[in-house]
Amino acid sequence: MTAATHSPLFPRVPESADAVLDGLDPEQREVATALHGPVCVLAGAGTGKTRAITHRIAYGVRAGILQPASVLAVTFTARAAGEMRGRLRQLGAGGVQARTFHSAALRQLQFFWPKAVGGELPRLLERKVQFVSEAAARCRIRLDRNELRDVTGEIEWSKVTQTVPADYPAALVKAGRQAPRDPAETGQIYAMYEQLKRDRGAIDFEDVLLLTVGVLQDRHDIADQVRAQYQHFVVDEYQDVSPLQQRLLELWLGDRDSLCVVGDASQTIYSFTGATPDHLLTFRTRHPQATVVRLVRDYRSTPQVVHLANGLLTQARGRAAEHRLELVSQREPGPEPGYVEYADEPAEAEGTARRIRELMSSGVPASEIAVLFRINAQSEVYEQALADAGVPYQLRGAERFFERPEVREAGVKLRGAARFGGNDALLDDAVGLPSEVRAVLSDMGWSSEPPAGSGAVRDRWESLAALVRLAEEFAAARPGATLADLVAELDERAGAQHAPTVEGVTLASLHAAKGLEWDAVFLVGLTEGMMPITHARTDEEIEEERRLLYVGVTRARRHLGLSWSLARSPGGRPSRRPSRFLNGLRPGSGAAAGRPAAGAAAGGVERGGAVPGASRRRDRRPARCRVCNKTLTDAGEMKLMRCEDCPSEMNEALYERLRDWRAGEAARTRQPAYCVFTDKTLMAIAEAVPGTEPELSRISGVGRRKLDRYGADVLALCAGEDPAERPEEASEGAAENSSEK
């Protein structure tokens, strides 16, 4: 392997199916090789869940067990879906659909709408606020900006929990949900909002899921068509599935069980949107035969960070806490988390900026540092402090990288240079791909040194610098690559939303930080009233706030800072107290209040057990040669359970008896001989010489119906006996011919 193949952005594509499994730990390998489901992966923060499930899909595809177009991987953000597509492409498994629930549903709805309903799909609302505002006005209800946001959130919650306007007040009581305003008024606005959409031929994002569910429920022909396309499902972040999304997933699946779900109940932080960990926690109850794999080896964070994360959950309560995972760090020790108390918010921001400057001076890149807060309104003081300290930053949640104007412009210029570079004076002195890219982008304002300060000019430079670094990585990984090759790579990345790294400290809310990680994380504003937030009053709401802080802690790889301020403004009354969640964890805080949670689960694998009345299930492990143990990809070899060129121990006499018996069965039932059993299946039987029905059922090509129909005869032949004579009906043979081949 050359040095170039070590590029983190452009890793070498594994040479074989077995090579896809290289580097996985035992539990991750269990996930990757359990290819049909039902499989439930309980994955703690930093345990490599995305690695495990992408390698699972890639291994199945490369081994010939899964067809790329038949796999649908579903996650919750476009960024996560893009990352998954990028990883699958790097593993040699392009063509797999990785989408959000909404994206997958919208695609199906657009395709089937003319057939199911007729005409064009109604216009999709990008934002609900304008319609909600008008609905409130028509109901003669005045809403300020915050109330408008609250009512919009309640409408979204109602729709994903499949609650109609008339049932909204009762649904609140049943869910134990605290309404932000009068439930009757909210229900009235909700009803008017739905009426406005109908009158104007519009739908919202929740309608996309609702309508897709409706079409699949009512039109069995369409449901069958979707199920014929998608036969294997993977759902990431399963703890965040809403009842509506779960219903859609059930309709996609039908009566099949080729489903792999991945989640962590301790990272459930979106219940306000209707997300619930119940589907994850009851998966084994609904699928008694499921394989459950627990990932607890934390490869992200140091033992010091992991210790704090585990400590946060020891005082947690509720059902999610009863299923918590005890993380075990796999990294070398690092510095202890730092706890700092400040007099006021500006002092806290300035102190954080100062510490960030120190980290950057010690070699930590700005892109590997994040400042996380509870609400977006907290960001302004940190933006100012970082700008004053000359530290570049980026706000999480800004437009996607490939949608930035300067990135679009750069793409046009690079494409033009790739086509007509021989006539471009900018490239006269450029030697090599990185040099060519730098020359093209210098015409747009890129320079080797960043501009001073922050703002739009710095943001533009950071975007261009990210493209330059990407070109350097690309050239290192693929010597001889041209501008045209780079443009093609950028097009693929844009389609997958697989953006390069932008240099700059990340400012983000704790919710927006989910799924991300940095070398250094600063959790700021950790005071009572902010963490937990003031409006969290019930026990479950408090526990969700604790889980939110847990998510923040587990974003850090090595450096972790936790801080709070006693007053909002300089000279203000120092009346604030540190978050209760830090009691017993920060030095000098004493023991934490409350009863400890139940014991945490360790890592490992739990196989599905037999339950009375459950249907027989065949071994779900990948096919491996019983001679050399190589993964088998050819259908014929998979039937034989060995490579074609590996030595055979077939009982030749038994094989001939099986062929004679098959000829008689085929003549009696008036069907081709291969419809009874193929030659390869007979060879596999003659090699294995099964003595019991379970042994026979493990041979590829011996399904349930064939086992019932022919099992006794085949086992008799294997035992050296003659099959018992029995009458056969030609009609049954015809049915077999149509259903089993």
Side-chain angles (χ1 to χ4, degrees):
M1 181 181 290
T2 65
T5 61
H6 288 286
S7 166
L9 286 179
F10 303 96
R12 181 179 178 180
V13 175
E15 295 179 354
S16 65
D18 287 340
V20 172
L21 303 178
D22 291 346
L24 299 182
D25 69 30
E27 292 79 27
Q28 291 171 344
R29 184 176 285 252
E30 288 285 349
V31 175
T33 54
L35 285 172
H36 295 291
V39 178
C40 179
V41 184
L42 301 176
T47 57
K49 69 177 179 64
T50 305
R51 176 179 174 82
I53 59 176
T54 52
H55 281 67
R56 176 183 189 270
I57 295 170
Y59 178 63
V61 169
R62 298 289 298 275
I65 299 170
L66 305 178
Q67 294 302 311
S70 72
V71 180
L72 179 59
V74 189
T75 188
F76 281 80
T77 66
R79 180 197 59 78
E83 179 187 358
M84 192 175 291
R85 287 193 295 271
R87 290 201 192 194
L88 289 169
R89 181 164 62 94
Q90 291 167 351
L91 290 169
V96 172
Q97 290 293 314
R99 295 181 174 274
T100 64
F101 269 102
H102 284 89
S103 172
L106 180 59
R107 194 176 188 214
Q108 292 173 18
L109 199 60
Q110 288 170 330
F111 183 81
F112 290 112
W113 187 266
K115 179 179 180 180
V117 180
E120 293 186 0
L121 184 69
R123 174 173 63 95
L124 181 63
L125 289 179
E126 293 293 333
R127 298 177 70 243
K128 299 182 181 69
V129 173
Q130 184 176 350
F131 272 47
V132 175
S133 177
E134 184 175 345
R138 291 196 175 199
C139 295
R140 298 184 178 180
I141 299 173
R142 294 175 61 90
L143 299 177
D144 62 26
R145 183 177 176 181
N146 290 331
E147 290 174 325
L148 183 60
R149 182 194 62 209
D150 289 342
V151 171
T152 301
E154 290 303 293
I155 291 174
E156 291 174 348
W157 175 82
S158 298
K159 299 186 77 164
V160 300
T161 55
Q162 302 175 79
T163 302
V164 298
D167 294 340
Y168 170 72
L172 284 177
V173 176
K174 183 177 180 180
R177 184 179 178 89
Q178 187 170 2
R181 59 174 296 109
D182 180 69
E185 287 188 349
T186 300
Q188 189 180 357
I189 296 170
Y190 176 18
M192 181 57 70
Y193 166 78
E194 292 296 313
Q195 183 63 51
L196 280 175
K197 287 197 290 106
R198 286 192 294 270
D199 292 346
R200 297 178 187 177
I203 60 175
D204 59 28
F205 279 102
E206 288 71 37
D207 289 329
V208 170
L209 299 182
L210 284 163
L211 290 169
T212 305
V213 165
V215 168
L216 295 178
Q217 284 182 161
D218 296 342
R219 292 291 299 268
H220 298 294
D221 57 330
I222 292 176
D224 289 342
Q225 193 171 342
V226 171
R227 291 167 191 159
Q229 169 69 53
Y230 296 117
Q231 297 163 25
H232 309 281
F233 296 86
V234 176
V235 184
D236 195 11
E237 304 290 2
Y238 193 56
Q239 77 279 351
D240 291 331
V241 166
S242 71
L244 180 57
Q245 290 165 332
Q246 175 65 20
R247 180 60 186 140
L248 177 59
L249 178 61
E250 290 167 354
L251 288 166
W252 281 340
L253 273 168
D255 60 0
R256 301 165 301 174
D257 64 1
S258 188
L259 170 66
C260 174
V261 301
V262 190
D264 178 9
S266 296
Q267 296 187 67
T268 304
I269 59 173
Y270 296 108
S271 66
F272 60 91
T273 67
T276 171
D278 288 351
H279 306 299
L280 175 67
L281 299 179
T282 61
F283 189 85
R284 188 66 184 272
T285 302
R286 288 177 287 117
H287 300 279
Q289 295 285 0
T291 296
V292 178
V293 185
R294 293 179 177 86
L295 304 183
V296 298
R297 302 175 199 242
D298 188 315
Y299 297 96
R300 176 187 299 160
S301 305
T302 62
Q304 288 75 12
V305 173
V306 167
H307 178 71
L308 174 55
N310 287 335
L312 267 175
L313 295 185
T314 58
Q315 300 300 320
R317 305 183 181 198
R319 192 173 184 199
E322 293 170 359
H323 293 79
R324 70 185 180 91
L325 299 167
E326 185 83 19
L327 300 178
V328 181
S329 177
Q330 306 297 300
R331 295 194 56 181
E332 292 294 320
E336 291 290 338
Y339 300 86
V340 186
E341 182 175 276
Y342 293 94
D344 51 63
E345 287 184 8
E348 185 178 2
E350 291 166 9
T352 302
R354 187 165 53 251
R355 178 69 181 120
I356 288 173
R357 287 290 306 176
E358 292 171 358
L359 284 173
M360 291 172 62
S361 297
S362 70
V364 180
S367 60
E368 287 295 345
I369 303 173
V371 178
L372 306 181
F373 31 75
R374 177 60 180 84
I375 60 174
N376 288 321
Q378 294 172 272
S379 74
E380 185 176 357
V381 66
Y382 290 92
E383 293 178 53
Q384 186 61 54
L386 291 173
D388 291 345
V391 175
Y393 66 87
Q394 57 176 329
L395 287 172
R396 184 75 197 168
E399 76 276 5
R400 295 176 181 173
F401 179 83
F402 289 104
E403 293 173 1
R404 297 177 184 179
E406 64 271 19
V407 175
R408 288 177 178 271
E409 182 185 350
V412 171
K413 288 185 175 293
L414 290 171
R415 195 178 306 278
R419 289 179 180 174
F420 311 111
N423 300 319
D424 193 336
L426 281 172
L427 302 182
D428 286 349
D429 299 324
V431 179
L433 178 59
S435 180
E436 291 175 336
V437 172
R438 287 191 288 266
V440 172
L441 299 186
S442 65
D443 196 41
M444 292 179 57
W446 178 84
S447 61
S448 58
E449 292 297 325
S454 59
V457 174
R458 178 63 183 248
D459 289 344
R460 179 181 175 87
W461 183 89
E462 292 288 357
S463 296
L464 300 179
L467 291 174
V468 170
R469 286 192 299 274
L470 184 70
E472 292 168 347
E473 287 273 2
F474 189 70
R478 304 181 188 178
T482 65
L483 266 177
D485 296 329
L486 178 64
V487 168
E489 174 67 20
L490 289 174
D491 287 342
E492 285 201 43
R493 283 174 167 264
Q497 285 300 324
H498 187 194
T501 301
V502 175
E503 282 299 325
V505 172
T506 299
L507 296 178
S509 71
L510 286 163
H511 282 101
K514 178 75 169 66
L516 303 175
E517 59 185 78
W518 297 269
D519 281 346
V521 170
F522 292 88
L523 302 174
V524 299
L526 301 181
T527 61
E528 285 291 307
M530 191 60 72
M531 178 55 67
I533 198 78
T534 303
H535 56 69
R537 296 186 177 92
T538 67
D539 287 345
E540 183 47 46
E541 288 170 342
I542 296 295
E543 288 307 315
E544 181 147 337
E545 292 289 297
R546 188 194 307 274
R547 294 194 295 268
L548 188 57
L549 182 57
Y550 172 80
V551 166
V553 167
T554 55
R555 300 310 95 194
R557 298 192 190 104
R558 180 173 175 83
H559 304 278
L560 178 61
L562 304 96
S563 64
W564 58 92
S565 54
L566 300 178
R568 177 169 185 172
S569 305
R573 183 165 165 263
S575 58
R576 292 175 170 176
R577 292 182 294 115
S579 170
R580 72 188 75 171
F581 299 145
L582 301 181
N583 290 344
L585 300 175
R586 64 184 177 88
S589 62
R595 63 173 181 79
V605 183
E606 187 178 344
R607 307 287 182 197
V611 289
S615 61
R616 181 189 63 85
R617 297 175 184 271
R618 66 175 60 254
D619 187 4
R620 299 185 181 280
R621 315 303 295 171
R624 289 185 176 274
C625 175
R626 50 192 165 80
V627 180
C628 69
N629 202 40
K630 175 186 173 184
T631 299
L632 302 175
T633 60
D634 178 76
E637 291 182 341
M638 291 168 68
K639 283 184 180 293
L640 294 175
M641 292 303 292
R642 64 171 174 81
C643 304
E644 286 280 9
D645 52 358
C646 280
S648 167
E649 298 178 356
M650 185 175 70
N651 184 322
E652 297 284 352
L654 173 58
Y655 178 63
E656 291 303 321
R657 289 200 304 274
L658 286 168
R659 284 175 58 88
D660 291 343
W661 164 83
R662 181 184 65 176
E665 285 296 318
R668 185 178 300 114
T669 56
R670 301 177 186 176
Q671 60 181 326
Y674 68 80
C675 290
V676 179
F677 285 119
T678 65
D679 285 347
K680 282 288 181 11
T681 300
L682 294 185
M683 291 175 66
I685 293 171
E687 289 188 1
V689 192
T692 64
E693 186 174 289
E695 290 176 358
L696 177 59
S697 71
R698 284 195 285 270
I699 295 175
S700 178
V702 183
R704 178 74 259 175
R705 295 184 65 184
K706 289 189 177 181
L707 188 65
D708 292 341
R709 186 171 179 78
Y710 304 125
D713 286 2
V714 171
L715 289 173
L717 287 164
C718 290
E721 303 169 357
D722 290 329
E725 291 294 330
R726 56 188 173 85
E728 299 288 352
E729 295 181 9
S731 60
E732 290 181 351
E736 283 287 307
N737 187 24
S738 67
S739 62
E740 294 211 5
K741 297 205 173 180

